[in-house]
Amino acid sequence: MKEEIHQRLTSLREVLKSEGLDAFVFPSTDPHNGEYVPDHWKGREYISGFNGSAGTAVVTQDAAALWTDSRYFLAAEDQLAGTGFVLMKERMEGTPSITEWLGMKLSPIEGAVVGVDGMVNAADTVAAWQQELRRQGGITVRANFDPLSRIWKERPSLPLSPIVIHPVEYAGESLPAKLKRIRVQLRGMGVCGMLVSALDDIAWILNLRCSDIHCNPVFVSYLLLTQDEATLFVDRRKLTGEVSSYLSDNRVRVEEYTHVYEALKRYDEYNILMDGSETAYTLFHAVTCPQVLNQPSPVPVMKAVKNEAEIEGYRRSMIRDGVALVKFLRWLKPAVEAGVETEMSIDRKLTALRAQQPLFRDISFDTIAGYQEHGAIVHYEATPETDKVLKPEGLLLLDSGAQYADGTTDITRTIALGPLSAEQRRIYTLVLKGNIQLAMLKFPEGASGTQLDALARKDMWREGINYMHGTGHGVGSYLSVHEGPHQIRMEWKPTPLYAGMTVTDEPGIYMAGKFGVRIENTMLITPYLSTAFGDFLQLEPLTLCPIDKAPIMKEMLTPEEVQWLDSYHQHVYDTLSPHLSDKEDIEWLREATAPLLSSSQ
């Protein structure tokens, strides 16, 4: 593979030279600014060999570098070794930004030009690069060229998965009702029309689902809305007769996916809203109407606040997921003691148990099953080369989820497979305290996730410990497992939190080369109480699965934390046990959810 990367870099450099380009930037995104992208747009992975979901590769005639965040430092270091790419650790002292690095590398070249593909880079991103590179010695940016179209000989085609209708009984709101609400929002903003690029937004608006992207039930498309019309740009081969009739009946016109650029050039309303942080640079600049409003779309917040049907769908899907997890966890330790299980084999077992549940559609992301030192790699994914045999000792970090037709699940449990060190137990308990402290929080409506984040970290901060990823993200309703715009994280994220939003609670600590711990529940934000000081909210656990008690240092927990854990476990038992038919499963669950201070664990 490393030799292939060298060959690809050679071919790329030849193309860049012929085009008069001194460097090229490869992001992780696609024309829809998605976190997960179809294989056709995995250009950064193709050119660098790094397959993480976040990162940017930059290539000059004599150097190559890849920027990624702390989730992928260990994985990227391994995958980039010997490729000619240097790893740049984002947000670490001494790491230059992409534009600073380009400024240093291209400073000897008069009139240097950096290339980017304007269809896979957001308008705001390109504008920022243009401004910053201008300061780096007058470097200019060219955004109308894709070198991969020349060098990627076996480039995957765009997916052609069939689109299906998402029933209103699960969606909770019809397509016409959603369009009406959106148009009211747009009128209130003084907006005539809007281009929707985000695939999960389009799927949510139209109540349609597909399988174009691994683990994400969305389809490659654009949606152009005005006060009177809605036009879906999609490959017509993906539409069944039923879906075509459904769209026609709901007054949604259909044009080919590739026609969106020309349609924007013809757009004749006075103004249009396009979010420059998610709209491709090329499309953003295709419009010639008098006013382009670069503002956030109202759709993500509308989508983030779940209706009653969606909330009930979460509850049902969490029960089915919990049943599968109980069966898996009861099986796990005896299987490990038999000495034949690996990280990959337990992933297959868990997926098979989930697949037995009604309405299962897919996993919601690739399972992270990291045993011992692999648990310290935040987004580790086992391969045949790295697949570790599990032993009846140490910690297993298991982060997994499923897509059901009525809900999406995301859960992490760190499991003691046998004897643990004092350090492992202390770290585990610190993470558990962080999870519980956030889960117990009451907060005013309209607070942002950044204002909540410190609660999950305060106990580990006292010991000089921190983690570099976010503490929580939204979860879609049979949609993307990572859903914004709200987040819980240290970096400033101003989106207000409202009742009806889902958000994960997932602090972690990662001891490089030794082990990692993360504990995650998906939570629902619900009303708490109303006072003279306003409305207050709380977090209700949706996830139904025991938290392993074996690693807990009980003396480190406060009485309030113990009470929360016992109450959560009682809820798990009361909710799941009626759905378990196997007496041994029920007995295992009874012990796993027994009160902490009376537990033998």
Side-chain angles (χ1 to χ4, degrees), residues 132-446:
E132 292 167 17
L133 287 170
R134 202 173 295 124
R135 297 195 193 106
Q136 299 287 336
I139 299 171
T140 58
V141 176
R142 175 182 166 189
N144 64 347
F145 179 60
D146 175 16
L148 296 175
S149 63
R150 294 197 197 172
I151 68 172
W152 196 349
K153 301 303 182 185
E154 297 180 1
R155 188 172 189 171
S157 302
L158 289 179
L160 286 174
S161 309
I163 296 172
V164 299
I165 298 170
H166 185 52
V168 174
E169 64 181 290
Y170 300 148
E173 185 178 16
S174 69
L175 162 56
K178 289 180 177 178
L179 289 177
K180 182 177 180 180
R181 278 209 295 145
I182 293 168
R183 284 166 172 151
V184 168
Q185 290 278 324
L186 294 179
R187 283 198 297 274
M189 299 167 69
V191 173
C192 303
M194 173 175 67
L195 178 70
V196 185
S197 295
L199 301 186
D200 57 338
D201 287 356
I202 297 169
W204 177 81
I205 293 169
L206 300 180
N207 286 343
L208 296 173
R209 299 294 188 268
C210 189
S211 57
D212 276 357
I213 298 179
H214 179 53
C215 301
N216 292 263
V218 298
F219 49 98
V220 174
S221 57
Y222 292 98
L223 184 64
L224 182 59
L225 299 178
T226 67
Q227 289 297 327
D228 302 312
E229 293 185 342
T231 305
L232 176 66
F233 298 88
V234 67
D235 191 319
R236 293 177 186 271
R237 291 173 292 178
K238 300 167 64 63
L239 303 181
T240 63
E242 181 185 20
V243 172
S244 294
S245 296
Y246 166 80
L247 292 170
S248 177
D249 291 346
N250 287 288
R251 299 180 60 197
V252 177
R253 297 174 56 243
V254 175
E255 289 196 33
E256 285 296 330
Y257 176 72
T258 54
H259 293 176
V260 63
Y261 179 82
E262 292 300 325
L264 288 171
K265 289 180 67 175
R266 297 192 309 267
Y267 180 85
D268 59 3
E269 300 285 345
Y270 174 74
N271 63 20
I272 187 170
L273 185 150
M274 290 194 286
D275 186 343
S277 67
E278 68 175 34
T279 305
Y281 174 88
T282 301
L283 298 182
F284 191 89
H285 291 278
V287 182
T288 58
C289 66
Q291 187 179 51
V292 177
L293 300 171
N294 185 348
Q295 297 179 22
S297 161
V299 174
V301 172
M302 296 170 68
K303 171 165 54 69
V305 178
K306 313 305 181 193
N307 59 49
E308 285 303 315
E310 290 172 318
I311 291 171
E312 287 309 307
Y314 278 110
R315 297 193 196 283
R316 292 190 302 267
S317 62
M318 293 291 178
I319 290 173
R320 294 192 295 273
D321 212 52
V323 167
L325 286 159
V326 166
K327 292 179 179 295
F328 170 81
L329 291 171
R330 184 172 78 83
W331 164 87
L332 178 62
K333 289 184 182 179
V336 170
E337 290 167 0
V340 296
E341 299 302 329
T342 70
E343 293 167 329
M344 294 181 73
S345 73
I346 64 166
D347 175 13
R348 291 191 293 269
K349 176 69 174 181
L350 179 54
T351 300
L353 288 169
R354 280 180 162 134
Q356 294 173 7
Q357 298 301 313
L359 301 183
F360 175 84
R361 296 293 181 264
D362 198 355
I363 55 175
S364 55
F365 56 95
D366 288 317
T367 299
I368 299 169
Y371 177 54
Q372 292 288 67
E373 68 271 19
H374 286 169
I377 304 172
V378 180
H379 274 203
Y380 171 74
E381 184 180 341
T383 67
E385 293 74 32
T386 65
D387 192 21
K388 283 179 69 72
V389 174
L390 306 186
K391 299 178 181 178
E393 62 185 26
L395 292 172
L396 168 70
L397 189 156
L398 186 63
D399 188 348
S400 67
Q403 294 284 10
Y404 300 94
D406 54 353
T408 300
T409 69
D410 184 3
I411 174 176
T412 307
R413 291 293 183 263
T414 302
I415 304 153
L417 297 181
L420 303 177
S421 68
E423 180 187 37
Q424 288 174 318
R425 296 183 64 215
R426 182 177 66 88
I427 293 297
Y428 181 94
T429 310
L430 281 173
V431 173
L432 177 60
K433 287 172 71 68
N435 179 280
I436 294 174
Q437 284 294 320
L438 181 57
M440 292 192 301
L441 182 64
K442 317 301 180 190
F443 54 95
E445 182 180 68

Side-chain angles (χ1 to χ4, degrees), residues 474-512:
V475 178
S477 176
Y478 185 33
L479 272 175
S480 302
V481 73
H482 290 165
E483 182 177 271
H486 61 296
Q487 297 181 46
I488 300 175
R489 62 186 310 118
M490 287 198 302
E491 299 86 355
W492 176 236
K493 294 292 180 182
T495 302
L497 300 176
Y498 298 110
M501 287 180 166
T502 54
V503 67
T504 60
D505 174 1
E506 50 179 311
I509 297 175
Y510 310 94
M511 310 301 287

